[in-house]
Amino acid sequence: MPILNRASELQSVATAWRRHLHANPEILYDVENTAAFVAEKLQEFGVDEIVTGIGRTGVVGLINGAEKGRTIGLRADMDALPLDEITGKPWASATPGRMHACGHDGHMAMLLGAAKHLAETRNFAGRVAVIFQPAEEGGRGALAMVEDGLMDRFDIAEVYGMHNMPGKKAGSFAIRKGGIMAAPDKFSLKITGRGGHAAEPHNTADTIVIGAQIVSALQTIAARNANPLRSVVVSVTQFHAGTTHNIIPEEAFISGTVRSLDEEVRTLAERRIGELAAGIAAAHGASVEYDFERACPVTVNHPRETEHAARAAIDVVGPDHVDTEVDPSMAGEDFAFMLQSRPGAYIMIGNGDTAGLHNPAYDFNDEILPAGISYWVRLAEQRLPR
Ligand SMILES: [Zn+2]
Ligand SMILES: [Zn+2]
């Protein structure tokens, strides 16, 4: 099955939805208007059941096939980012400081297009749950929906996600088995030494000198502690200390992020940051308070479902346009929580040569809507054969 004729027909209407959503971005869980728009469209399509307010502002639409069978979940995210858009496009954000800079507007349009088609044709045995989640951008919206009973309430057997990928050929697909997106954890360190006159360092415990050693030492986690064949990133992104040129500060504050692709390396990094910081601080007569905040887990694609997803993508665009062994990304994705709760897979769709995600010049590429819609439809029909 190449790109559905119907999906090409759907392109203009899906483009209109996408641009409407793009112009009206909302943040985290505060996606009331977005969720209302999604629910209204699902109603219009004749979707059998629409449930709102799951995980605060999430929406689920249930589409019954021509025959009975299992339920599979297809998920899109709804939230935008706190960012000023600079695209100057006619459909640019109407709200300063908010922007769909991650393409979640396009993700919604693709899933709405698929829902419209599936509700019209119902050429499957079972039920499709279209899942629209809030708060993907650091708000654990996927977890909120799972904790609100998403999987059990609708008896979802498998769950699938999709994200656009700038820099990859428009409408091509990429996937891999196992870890595809990293666990994006945060850490912070507060160093307390002994402040004093800059001319009398011997009477102080200098938190800047100590902090500098800690920053350098943290790089040994990737270089000397983790197995070189297992990826980990430790980036220090903040170092605040001091007030003026002649005072050695009493305190220093360091924070950053750890990215890992498996639990073992993640736990190793968490432990080593604490050990290195505490050891270096103690060696200089200072102390340290350490906080490591686990954000979302590694996004781990289940092997069988990855094959199903790849097959659906190949059916749509052909094997030359589906990379089944793409390198993982060290960015995070909270769809990870859904994959912890049910088997499933997360696929990337190329956005073409556009600005990167989270960049103020980014825009979702409407040309890829038919490929995305066709992928969802193909996947649903293939997983729920009549
Ligand atoms: Zn994002
Ligand atoms: Zn995103």
Side-chain angles (χ1 to χ4, degrees), residues 298-321:
V298 180
T299 303
V300 181
N301 275 342
H302 298 241
R304 271 186 35 213
E305 287 68 23
T306 304
E307 284 170 16
H308 302 321
R311 197 174 333 124
I314 288 169
D315 281 355
V316 173
V317 295
D320 294 347
H321 304 293

Side-chain angles (χ1 to χ4, degrees), residues 12 32 35 50 54 66 70 94 105 109 132 189-190 200 265 302 317 345 349 364 370 374:
S12 64
E32 282 81 6
I50 300 157
I54 302 184
R70 303 179 313 140
D105 49 346
F132 294 85
L189 296 162
K190 188 178 144 199
E200 298 175 356
V265 173
H302 298 241
V317 295
I349 180 168
F364 183 85
S374 300

